[in-house]
């Protein structure tokens, strides 16, 4: 039995859970999330807890058991507290600003990079060099932060670029001159 999969998920107050036709819907104070559950596992909602079980010990069932439980738990946490990923921009003249539903980044290219924000994602800019990507879907928050980071990843010589706030950049020594 999966150590993660067998743990029940506590449903907080103010969260409604419905499961019908292999679609799990969770509504909370921050919003609503839906996910299609794999046929290899089954989900039961009882007494304020969500339990994920598997019918047999087939390889697909075993691999989907812990994954499904974690995905459902991420949905419950997302609709109650939400998720946030922080990014930092380093470099002379590098800046970011939000215009409507678009993020405009000046990253040293000949043109500004315009990134349309997905629905359900908000970006807060602090002092033009710190970004906070927020949303209720953990997968979408992480994907959006990775996409923003990919526009100008951090380089190892001067550390310029976009990096996660918790990320440390391994710095390299530059070229040495002729001797």
């Amino acid at each position: 039995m999966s150590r993660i999969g067998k743990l029940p998920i506590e449903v907080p107050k103010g969260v409604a859970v419905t499961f019908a036709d292999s679609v799990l819907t969770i509504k909370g104070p921050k919003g609503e999330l839906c996910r299609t559950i794999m046929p290899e596992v089954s989900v039961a909602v009882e007494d304020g807890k969500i339990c994920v079980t598997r019918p047999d010990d087939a390889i697909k069932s075993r691999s989907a058991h812990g994954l499904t439980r974690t995905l459902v738990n991420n949905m419950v946490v997302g609709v109650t507290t939400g998720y946030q990923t922080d990014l930092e921009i380093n470099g002379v003249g590098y800046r970011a600003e939000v215009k409507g539903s678009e993020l405009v980044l000046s990253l040293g290219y000949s043109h500004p990079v315009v990134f349309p924000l997905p629905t359900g994602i908000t970006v807060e800019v602090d002092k033009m060099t710190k970004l906070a990507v927020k949303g209720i879907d953990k997968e979408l928050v992480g994907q959006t932060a990775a996409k923003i980071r990919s526009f100008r990843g951090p380089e190892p010589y001067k550390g310029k670029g976009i990096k996660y706030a918790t990320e440390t950049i391994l710095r390299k020594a530059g070229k040495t001159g002729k001797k």
Side-chain angles (χ1 to χ4, degrees):
M1 185 63 87
S2 169
R3 282 179 275 184
I4 293 172
K6 68 182 178 183
L7 299 173
I9 301 166
E10 296 286 332
V11 179
K13 296 256 190 271
V15 175
V17 180
T18 56
F19 181 66
D21 298 329
S22 74
V23 175
L24 183 69
T25 305
I26 299 179
K27 293 180 186 175
K30 295 229 176 215
E32 175 182 348
L33 290 173
C34 297
R35 181 174 290 279
T36 303
I37 302 298
M38 296 178 238
E40 289 84 13
V41 293
S42 59
V43 175
V45 181
E46 54 207 24
D47 301 331
K49 293 182 181 178
I50 304 171
C51 296
V52 179
T53 56
R54 63 177 191 239
D56 54 13
D57 279 341
I59 293 174
K60 275 197 165 258
S61 298
R62 289 195 333 237
S63 63
H65 190 202
L67 171 70
T68 303
R69 191 256 179 214
T70 303
L71 292 174
V72 172
N73 188 50
N74 289 344
M75 291 169 65
V76 171
V77 172
V79 297
T80 53
T81 59
Y83 289 100
Q84 175 176 338
T85 301
D86 295 322
L87 299 168
E88 292 178 358
I89 301 175
N90 296 323
V92 177
Y94 289 13
R95 63 180 48 98
E97 60 181 320
V98 177
K99 289 186 179 175
S101 65
E102 293 180 334
L103 179 66
V104 181
L105 300 162
S106 298
L107 299 173
Y109 297 120
S110 61
H111 59 283
V113 177
V114 179
F115 179 66
L117 296 174
T119 52
I121 295 293
T122 58
V123 174
E124 294 177 2
V125 179
D126 182 34
K127 298 181 183 174
M128 295 193 294
T129 59
K130 295 196 184 325
L131 301 170
V133 181
K134 296 181 180 181
I136 61 172
D137 188 355
K138 185 176 187 179
E139 192 174 337
L140 190 58
V141 168
Q143 184 64 41
T144 304
K147 181 72 175 165
I148 293 170
R149 182 184 181 275
S150 72
F151 291 130
R152 180 74 94 170
E155 55 97 15
Y157 297 104
K158 292 186 178 178
K160 296 185 344 180
I162 303 174
K163 70 180 190 82
Y164 295 112
T166 57
E167 183 180 17
T168 56
I169 306 301
L170 291 176
R171 302 293 291 270
K172 290 183 178 178
K175 290 195 286 186
T176 57
K178 271 190 173 178
K179 292 187 180 182

